[in-house]
Amino acid sequence: MLSVHSPTKSVAEGRVRLAAAVDSEDGCRTLWFSLPEAFADHVDPACLDPFVITLLFEASRNGQDLTVKGRMSTRLFYNFSHGYAYLLSRLTEDSKIIRLLPSDLGDRSGSAGGDHVAAGFSAGIDSFQTFIDHNVDPAIEGYRISHFLLNDVGSHGASMTAAEVFTDRWRRVTRFANEMGMPLIDIQSNMADFFCGTPFQLTHTLRNVAAATLLQGYIGKFLYSSSFKYDECFVGPTYDVGYSEPYALHLLSTDDLTCISSGSRYSRLEKTINISQFEPTYRYLDVCVDPAAGGDKPNCSRCWKCSRALLTFEALGVLDRYHEVFDLDVFRAHRDRYIATTLHDMSRKNPNDADVLQFSRDRLINPPSAAKIIALRSRQKLASLRR
């Protein structure tokens, strides 16, 4: 049995901190969240929703019901019991359908939540598309983004440099947020300790929604940038929870916070084309999976995500516009290898890469020759055999 107790709230050094005891067969642990003290009055210390959402993956993975010894949202309890429990059990081969056992359900079924609209913003392609859709293109009243969230919940790595990566990203996103007149809130947590060592890609939705629910009531809508197009989505075991997001995200809504998936009408290729016309991306775009290797640039310019974006920009004829955030010489030195090896292999698994491969074939002026592709792939195979 997994149990979570009512949290305690404290304020120190300009931060408000919520911490709750979590009991399991392995003993007692502490799960905590923190955010700027300026938002202390908007945090409900009696509500366990952020803690419940964080613990759902561990409970499902271990086949343990989750006892909630305190108040949680009635809507979240209903949504989980009547839908999300099943979707979560399908995420991995060994996950199970589990029950939530709350001691107190909040009676706020008529609440409309706060007036503010938040969106996670990492300065990646997906988050730029969400910003363009809601704040650059004509906005629908009630859906214009009013706040950015940048969460430190595992996306910045697990190494000793993770704190430095987060700090660097915070500074860059802050500059963009200031240009747009957008408040930026950073939410931090030790929740990575509760995800069984599972890759961030498989659990990012739960992590980021859990963080956003700290401010439910102040924030009434949370826009979450999608990774995949509707046509590509499915429910079942996967390496990326984003494939099930359009089916699942709304089921993590609470009495006071409505979670909305944004951008699934576009493919990654379409998003990349769209954001390439938005000038701030030339100075702030951050797509890298290995930012520590980028030196004075936010992107390493050689990993599969950097290469995929840059290859698309090259095919669009806008590559040079991104010289501030990518080392274009590094990309050009690794470009043919990426086309010949990484992109070819990943396009079989990831529809985002398949689109880029076809687009590049149609538009690139100087693709690698067939002989070069064969040579590069042969060297890659030989290197893997030697390992």
Side-chain angles (χ1 to χ4, degrees):
M1 182 73 74
L2 194 63
S3 301
V4 58
H5 299 261
S6 291
T8 59
K9 181 180 178 180
S10 59
V11 178
E13 299 180 351
R15 308 278 301 178
V16 56
R17 188 175 190 265
L18 257 65
V22 179
D23 294 327
S24 67
E25 295 176 357
D26 297 326
C28 183
R29 296 168 288 167
T30 299
L31 172 60
W32 58 264
F33 296 84
S34 79
L35 68 164
E37 184 181 355
F39 295 91
D41 291 342
H42 302 298
V43 175
D44 182 356
C47 181
L48 275 162
D49 290 351
F51 301 89
V52 170
I53 293 171
T54 298
L55 294 169
L56 291 178
F57 183 82
E58 179 178 327
S60 181
R61 191 74 175 267
N62 295 333
Q64 296 177 311
D65 294 336
L66 177 58
T67 299
V68 184
K69 296 185 176 182
R71 174 165 55 82
M72 68 169 292
S73 163
T74 301
R75 185 181 183 188
L76 177 61
F77 174 67
Y78 175 85
N79 286 345
F80 181 81
S81 303
H82 291 266
Y84 196 82
Y86 169 76
L87 294 177
L88 185 59
S89 75
R90 297 281 292 131
L91 191 58
T92 67
E93 296 286 358
D94 54 355
S95 295
K96 306 290 190 301
I97 295 178
I98 56 103
R99 296 178 298 165
L100 287 178
L101 304 173
S103 64
D104 182 16
L105 291 177
D107 185 18
R108 298 175 61 85
S109 57
S111 173
D115 294 331
H116 300 291
V117 179
F121 191 82
S122 64
I125 289 171
D126 295 329
S127 54
F128 266 117
Q129 181 67 68
T130 293
F131 180 74
I132 291 168
D133 278 350
H134 293 85
N135 288 54
V136 178
D137 292 344
I140 297 174
E141 185 177 354
Y143 289 84
R144 185 178 179 85
I145 298 168
S146 61
H147 293 71
F148 283 149
L149 303 184
L150 182 64
N151 302 324
D152 188 4
V153 293
S155 64
H156 312 290
S159 69
M160 296 296 291
T161 62
E164 295 177 13
V165 171
F166 174 76
T167 300
D168 287 344
R169 286 175 170 167
W170 168 259
R171 288 171 181 156
R172 287 193 297 273
V173 172
T174 297
R175 290 197 295 270
F176 173 72
N178 289 341
E179 279 190 27
M180 300 297 114
M182 189 74 58
L184 175 63
I185 307 170
D186 72 297
I187 298 176
Q188 301 181 15
S189 174
N190 70 331
M191 68 169 66
D193 297 339
F194 293 81
F195 280 91
C196 313
T198 304
F200 181 78
Q201 222 174 345
L202 187 61
T203 54
H204 60 79
T205 304
L206 285 166
R207 299 186 195 218
N208 285 301
V209 172
T213 56
L214 282 175
L215 289 167
Q216 59 179 312
Y218 177 70
I219 292 169
K221 299 182 184 72
F222 178 50
L223 300 172
Y224 196 73
S225 300
S226 65
S227 301
F228 300 98
K229 196 172 183 177
Y230 285 121
D231 314 54
E232 302 154 358
C233 293
F234 64 90
V235 173
T238 179
Y239 65 92
D240 191 333
V241 68
Y243 279 110
S244 62
E245 197 171 282
Y247 308 104
L249 184 68
H250 71 284
L251 295 175
L252 293 174
S253 298
T254 70
D255 292 341
D256 294 317
L257 182 71
T258 299
C259 297
I260 302 170
S261 181
S262 174
S264 288
R265 61 187 172 129
Y266 307 106
S267 68
R268 178 59 54 78
L269 174 62
E270 290 169 331
K271 290 178 182 179
T272 308
I273 294 170
N274 293 343
I275 66 108
S276 72
Q277 302 304 311
F278 186 50
E279 187 274 336
T281 65
Y282 309 154
R283 294 176 283 117
Y284 295 112
L285 185 64
D286 183 351
V287 301
C288 190
V289 300
D290 189 18
D296 61 346
K297 307 286 185 180
N299 300 281
C300 76
S301 310
R302 71 183 73 190
C303 73
W304 62 271
K305 284 191 75 176
C306 286
S307 298
R308 182 176 66 187
L310 289 169
L311 193 66
T312 308
F313 294 143
E314 181 185 2
L316 288 168
V318 298
L319 181 62
D320 289 340
R321 298 177 187 177
Y322 288 90
H323 66 91
E324 288 189 39
V325 288
F326 293 93
D327 188 325
L328 301 185
D329 289 335
V330 170
F331 165 66
R332 291 180 178 115
H334 290 81
R335 168 188 179 276
D336 288 357
R337 181 177 298 278
Y338 171 70
I339 296 172
T341 57
T342 309
L343 185 56
H344 181 275
D345 291 338
M346 294 187 70
S347 67
R348 301 176 183 179
K349 307 172 186 177
N350 189 327
N352 291 331
D353 295 288
D355 284 350
V356 171
L357 182 61
Q358 186 58 54
F359 186 71
S360 302
R361 282 172 175 165
D362 292 343
R363 298 187 58 144
L364 282 181
I365 297 173
N366 186 30
S369 66
K372 190 170 187 178
I373 288 176
I374 293 171
L376 287 168
R377 290 185 60 79
S378 296
R379 285 201 293 270
Q380 182 194 44
K381 187 173 183 180
L382 181 59
S384 66
L385 290 173
R386 285 174 175 167
R387 287 197 295 269

Coordinates of all heavy atoms in Angstrom, one line a residue, residues 67-113:
T67 N -3.5 5.4 -1.0 CA -4.4 6.0 0.0 C -4.0 7.5 0.2 O -2.9 7.8 0.4 CB -4.1 5.2 1.3 OG1 -4.5 3.9 1.2 CG2 -5.0 5.9 2.4
V68 N -5.1 8.3 0.1 CA -4.9 9.8 0.2 C -5.4 10.2 1.6 O -6.7 10.3 1.7 CB -5.6 10.5 -0.9 CG1 -5.3 12.0 -0.9 CG2 -5.1 9.9 -2.3
K69 N -4.5 10.5 2.5 CA -4.9 10.9 3.8 C -5.1 12.4 4.0 O -4.3 13.0 4.6 CB -4.0 10.3 4.9 CG -3.9 8.7 4.8 CD -3.1 8.2 5.9 CE -3.1 6.6 5.9 NZ -2.3 6.0 7.0
G70 N -6.1 12.9 3.3 CA -6.3 14.3 3.3 C -7.2 14.6 2.1 O -7.8 13.7 1.5
R71 N -7.4 15.9 1.8 CA -8.3 16.3 0.8 C -7.7 16.3 -0.6 O -6.6 16.8 -0.8 CB -8.8 17.8 1.1 CG -9.7 18.4 0.1 CD -10.5 19.6 0.6 NE -9.6 20.6 1.1 CZ -9.0 21.5 0.4 NH1 -9.1 21.5 -1.0 NH2 -8.2 22.4 0.9
M72 N -8.5 15.8 -1.5 CA -8.2 15.9 -3.0 C -9.4 16.3 -3.8 O -10.5 16.3 -3.3 CB -7.6 14.6 -3.5 CG -8.6 13.4 -3.6 SD -7.9 12.0 -4.5 CE -7.9 12.7 -6.2
S73 N -9.2 16.7 -5.0 CA -10.3 17.2 -5.9 C -11.2 16.0 -6.2 O -10.8 14.9 -6.6 CB -9.6 17.7 -7.1 OG -10.6 17.9 -8.2
T74 N -12.5 16.3 -6.1 CA -13.5 15.3 -6.6 C -13.4 15.0 -8.1 O -13.5 13.9 -8.5 CB -14.9 15.9 -6.2 OG1 -15.0 16.1 -4.9 CG2 -16.0 14.9 -6.7
R75 N -13.2 16.1 -8.8 CA -13.1 15.9 -10.3 C -11.9 15.0 -10.7 O -12.0 14.1 -11.5 CB -13.0 17.2 -11.0 CG -13.0 17.2 -12.5 CD -12.8 18.6 -13.0 NE -12.9 18.7 -14.5 CZ -12.6 19.8 -15.2 NH1 -12.3 20.9 -14.5 NH2 -12.7 19.8 -16.5
L76 N -10.8 15.2 -10.0 CA -9.6 14.4 -10.3 C -9.9 13.0 -9.9 O -9.5 12.0 -10.6 CB -8.4 14.9 -9.5 CG -7.1 14.1 -9.7 CD1 -6.6 14.1 -11.1 CD2 -6.0 14.8 -8.8
F77 N -10.5 12.8 -8.7 CA -10.8 11.4 -8.3 C -11.7 10.7 -9.3 O -11.5 9.6 -9.7 CB -11.5 11.4 -6.9 CG -12.0 10.1 -6.4 CD1 -11.1 9.1 -6.1 CD2 -13.3 9.9 -6.3 CE1 -11.5 7.9 -5.7 CE2 -13.8 8.7 -5.9 CZ -12.9 7.6 -5.6
Y78 N -12.8 11.4 -9.7 CA -13.7 10.9 -10.7 C -13.0 10.5 -12.0 O -13.1 9.4 -12.6 CB -14.8 11.8 -11.0 CG -15.8 11.4 -12.1 CD1 -16.8 10.5 -11.8 CD2 -15.6 11.7 -13.4 CE1 -17.7 10.0 -12.8 CE2 -16.4 11.3 -14.4 CZ -17.5 10.4 -14.1 OH -18.3 9.9 -15.1
N79 N -12.2 11.5 -12.6 CA -11.5 11.3 -13.8 C -10.6 10.1 -13.8 O -10.4 9.3 -14.7 CB -10.7 12.6 -14.2 CG -11.6 13.7 -14.7 OD1 -12.8 13.5 -15.0 ND2 -11.1 14.9 -14.7
F80 N -9.9 10.0 -12.7 CA -8.9 8.9 -12.5 C -9.7 7.5 -12.5 O -9.3 6.6 -13.2 CB -8.1 9.0 -11.3 CG -7.1 7.9 -11.1 CD1 -5.9 7.9 -11.8 CD2 -7.3 6.8 -10.3 CE1 -5.0 6.9 -11.7 CE2 -6.4 5.8 -10.2 CZ -5.2 5.8 -10.9
S81 N -10.7 7.5 -11.6 CA -11.4 6.2 -11.4 C -12.2 5.8 -12.7 O -12.3 4.6 -12.9 CB -12.4 6.4 -10.3 OG -11.7 6.8 -9.1
H82 N -12.6 6.7 -13.5 CA -13.4 6.4 -14.7 C -12.7 6.6 -16.0 O -13.3 6.7 -17.0 CB -14.7 7.3 -14.7 CG -15.6 6.9 -13.6 ND1 -16.7 6.0 -13.7 CD2 -15.7 7.3 -12.3 CE1 -17.4 5.9 -12.6 NE2 -16.8 6.7 -11.7
G83 N -11.4 6.6 -16.0 CA -10.7 6.7 -17.2 C -9.2 6.7 -17.1 O -8.5 5.8 -17.7
Y84 N -8.6 7.6 -16.3 CA -7.1 7.7 -16.3 C -6.4 6.5 -15.8 O -5.3 6.1 -16.2 CB -6.7 8.9 -15.6 CG -5.2 9.3 -15.9 CD1 -4.9 10.0 -17.1 CD2 -4.2 8.9 -15.1 CE1 -3.6 10.3 -17.5 CE2 -2.9 9.2 -15.5 CZ -2.6 9.9 -16.6 OH -1.3 10.2 -17.0
A85 N -7.1 5.8 -14.8 CA -6.5 4.6 -14.2 C -6.2 3.5 -15.3 O -5.1 2.9 -15.3 CB -7.4 4.0 -13.2
Y86 N -7.1 3.4 -16.3 CA -7.0 2.5 -17.4 C -5.9 2.9 -18.3 O -5.0 2.2 -18.7 CB -8.3 2.3 -18.1 CG -8.1 1.5 -19.4 CD1 -7.9 0.2 -19.5 CD2 -8.0 2.2 -20.7 CE1 -7.6 -0.5 -20.6 CE2 -7.8 1.6 -21.8 CZ -7.6 0.2 -21.8 OH -7.4 -0.5 -23.0
L87 N -5.9 4.2 -18.7 CA -4.9 4.7 -19.6 C -3.5 4.6 -19.0 O -2.5 4.2 -19.7 CB -5.2 6.2 -20.0 CG -6.5 6.5 -20.7 CD1 -6.7 8.0 -20.9 CD2 -6.5 5.8 -22.1
L88 N -3.3 4.9 -17.8 CA -2.0 4.8 -17.1 C -1.6 3.3 -17.1 O -0.4 3.1 -17.3 CB -2.1 5.3 -15.7 CG -0.8 5.4 -14.9 CD1 0.2 6.3 -15.6 CD2 -1.1 6.0 -13.5
S89 N -2.5 2.4 -16.9 CA -2.1 1.0 -16.8 C -1.6 0.5 -18.2 O -0.9 -0.6 -18.3 CB -3.3 0.1 -16.4 OG -4.2 0.0 -17.4
R90 N -1.9 1.2 -19.3 CA -1.5 0.8 -20.6 C -0.2 1.4 -21.0 O 0.3 1.1 -22.1 CB -2.6 1.2 -21.6 CG -3.9 0.5 -21.4 CD -4.0 -0.9 -21.9 NE -3.9 -0.9 -23.4 CZ -3.1 -1.6 -24.1 NH1 -2.2 -2.4 -23.5 NH2 -3.1 -1.6 -25.4
L91 N 0.4 2.3 -20.2 CA 1.6 3.0 -20.6 C 2.8 2.1 -20.7 O 3.7 2.3 -21.5 CB 1.8 4.1 -19.6 CG 2.8 5.2 -19.9 CD1 2.5 5.9 -21.2 CD2 2.9 6.2 -18.8
T92 N 2.9 1.2 -19.8 CA 4.0 0.2 -19.8 C 3.5 -1.2 -19.7 O 2.4 -1.4 -19.2 CB 5.0 0.5 -18.7 OG1 4.4 0.2 -17.4 CG2 5.5 1.9 -18.7
E93 N 4.3 -2.2 -20.0 CA 3.9 -3.6 -20.0 C 3.5 -4.1 -18.6 O 2.7 -4.9 -18.4 CB 5.0 -4.5 -20.6 CG 5.3 -4.2 -22.1 CD 4.2 -4.7 -23.0 OE1 3.2 -5.3 -22.5 OE2 4.3 -4.5 -24.2
D94 N 4.2 -3.5 -17.6 CA 4.0 -4.0 -16.2 C 3.1 -3.1 -15.3 O 3.0 -3.4 -14.2 CB 5.4 -4.3 -15.6 CG 6.3 -3.0 -15.6 OD1 5.9 -2.0 -16.2 OD2 7.3 -3.1 -15.0
S95 N 2.5 -2.1 -15.9 CA 1.7 -1.2 -15.1 C 0.3 -1.9 -14.8 O -0.1 -2.7 -15.6 CB 1.4 0.1 -15.8 OG 2.7 0.8 -15.9
K96 N -0.3 -1.5 -13.7 CA -1.6 -2.1 -13.3 C -2.6 -1.1 -13.1 O -2.3 0.1 -12.8 CB -1.4 -2.9 -12.0 CG -0.3 -4.0 -12.0 CD -0.6 -5.1 -12.9 CE 0.4 -6.3 -12.7 NZ 1.8 -5.9 -13.0
I97 N -3.9 -1.5 -13.2 CA -5.0 -0.6 -12.8 C -5.0 -0.5 -11.3 O -5.1 -1.6 -10.6 CB -6.3 -1.0 -13.4 CG1 -6.3 -0.9 -14.9 CG2 -7.5 -0.2 -12.8 CD1 -7.6 -1.4 -15.5
I98 N -5.0 0.7 -10.7 CA -5.0 0.8 -9.3 C -6.1 1.7 -8.9 O -6.7 2.4 -9.7 CB -3.6 1.3 -8.7 CG1 -3.2 2.7 -9.4 CG2 -2.5 0.3 -9.0 CD1 -3.4 3.9 -8.6
R99 N -6.4 1.8 -7.5 CA -7.5 2.6 -7.0 C -6.9 3.8 -6.2 O -5.8 3.6 -5.6 CB -8.4 1.8 -6.1 CG -9.1 0.7 -6.8 CD -10.0 -0.1 -5.8 NE -9.1 -0.7 -4.7 CZ -9.5 -1.2 -3.6 NH1 -10.8 -1.1 -3.3 NH2 -8.7 -1.7 -2.7
L100 N -7.6 4.9 -6.2 CA -7.4 6.0 -5.3 C -8.3 5.8 -4.1 O -9.5 5.5 -4.3 CB -7.6 7.3 -5.9 CG -6.6 7.8 -6.9 CD1 -7.0 9.2 -7.5 CD2 -5.2 8.0 -6.3
L101 N -7.8 5.9 -2.9 CA -8.6 5.7 -1.7 C -8.5 7.0 -0.8 O -7.7 7.1 0.1 CB -8.1 4.5 -0.9 CG -8.0 3.2 -1.7 CD1 -7.4 2.1 -0.8 CD2 -9.4 2.8 -2.1
P102 N -9.3 8.0 -1.2 CA -9.2 9.3 -0.5 C -10.0 9.3 0.8 O -11.1 8.7 0.9 CB -9.7 10.3 -1.5 CG -10.7 9.5 -2.3 CD -10.2 8.1 -2.3
S103 N -9.5 10.1 1.8 CA -10.3 10.2 3.0 C -11.2 11.5 3.0 O -12.1 11.6 3.8 CB -9.3 10.4 4.2 OG -8.5 11.6 4.1
D104 N -11.0 12.4 2.0 CA -11.7 13.6 2.0 C -11.7 14.1 0.5 O -10.7 14.3 0.0 CB -11.1 14.6 2.9 CG -11.9 15.9 3.0 OD1 -13.1 15.9 2.5 OD2 -11.4 17.0 3.4
L105 N -12.9 14.3 0.0 CA -13.1 14.9 -1.4 C -13.6 16.3 -1.3 O -14.5 16.6 -0.6 CB -14.0 14.0 -2.2 CG -13.6 12.6 -2.6 CD1 -14.7 11.9 -3.3 CD2 -12.3 12.7 -3.4
G106 N -12.9 17.2 -2.0 CA -13.3 18.6 -1.9 C -14.6 18.8 -2.6 O -14.9 18.2 -3.6
D107 N -15.4 19.6 -2.0 CA -16.8 19.9 -2.5 C -16.7 21.2 -3.3 O -17.2 22.3 -2.8 CB -17.8 20.0 -1.4 CG -19.2 20.1 -1.9 OD1 -19.4 19.9 -3.0 OD2 -20.1 20.5 -1.0
R108 N -16.2 21.2 -4.5 CA -16.0 22.4 -5.3 C -16.5 22.1 -6.8 O -15.9 22.7 -7.7 CB -14.6 22.9 -5.3 CG -14.1 23.3 -3.9 CD -12.6 23.7 -4.0 NE -12.4 24.8 -4.8 CZ -12.5 26.1 -4.5 NH1 -12.9 26.4 -3.2 NH2 -12.3 27.1 -5.3
S109 N -17.5 21.3 -6.9 CA -17.9 20.9 -8.3 C -18.4 22.1 -9.1 O -18.4 22.0 -10.4 CB -19.0 19.8 -8.2 OG -20.1 20.3 -7.4
G110 N -18.8 23.1 -8.5 CA -19.3 24.3 -9.3 C -18.3 25.4 -9.5 O -18.5 26.4 -10.1
S111 N -17.0 25.1 -9.0 CA -16.0 26.1 -9.2 C -15.5 26.3 -10.6 O -15.4 25.3 -11.3 CB -14.8 25.7 -8.3 OG -13.7 26.6 -8.5
A112 N -15.3 27.5 -11.0 CA -14.8 27.8 -12.4 C -13.3 28.0 -12.4 O -12.7 28.1 -13.5 CB -15.5 29.0 -12.9
G113 N -12.7 28.0 -11.2 CA -11.2 28.2 -11.2 C -10.9 29.6 -11.4 O -11.7 30.5 -11.5

